[in-house]
Amino acid sequence: MNGALAFSMLISERKAYTSALTRARTADLFDLVQPGKDLFHLLSQDKFCAMGGGAPFEHDGIIVGGVGVSGGTVSEDVAILEAALDRSNTAGPADSPGAVSDPSSAS
């Protein structure tokens, strides 16, 4: 995101990691990691981040990783994440970056 602080890269990686690890959106974890809550101890993990903007990424119904967005406000990060996930869900194989229409022509 233009004008984003450099540490936004680190935060986005942590959001992606957290969502892949927990198989949940980071925004859904926020209330669960507050002081006195059952998952509060997760905040002591180096890579854990419960700010909105992270989601697990699925392919054929299997979680294959996580996606993290950072650089704006939390609501902006979530909006960008939702748009990206919506796009990935509506894109057909030919619309995907690096997709090849004839597999025999792949290098």
Side-chain angles (χ1 to χ4, degrees), residues 65-82:
V67 178
V69 177
S70 186
T73 66
V74 171
S75 60
E76 290 171 335
D77 293 350
V78 170
I80 292 167
L81 173 68
E82 293 301 329

Side-chain angles (χ1 to χ4, degrees), residues 8-99:
S8 296
M9 291 184 294
L10 176 64
I11 299 299
S12 64
E13 289 175 10
R14 289 180 178 189
K15 290 177 182 182
Y17 171 84
T18 300
S19 61
L21 181 70
T22 62
R23 299 175 177 224
R25 291 176 181 259
T26 53
D28 296 339
L29 298 171
F30 184 78
D31 289 335
L32 302 173
V33 297
Q34 298 306 307
K37 299 290 185 170
D38 289 340
L39 300 181
F40 177 66
H41 67 282
L42 290 177
L43 291 178
S44 66
Q45 305 301 310
D46 280 344
K47 292 185 178 184
F48 190 84
C49 181
M51 292 188 300
F57 190 77
E58 295 183 20
H59 178 70
D60 290 336
I62 298 170
I63 295 175
V64 295
V67 178
V69 177
S70 186
T73 66
V74 171
S75 60
E76 290 171 335
D77 293 350
V78 170
I80 292 167
L81 173 68
E82 293 301 329
L85 292 175
D86 286 346
R87 173 71 176 127
S88 72
N89 289 333
T90 59
D95 296 328
S96 301

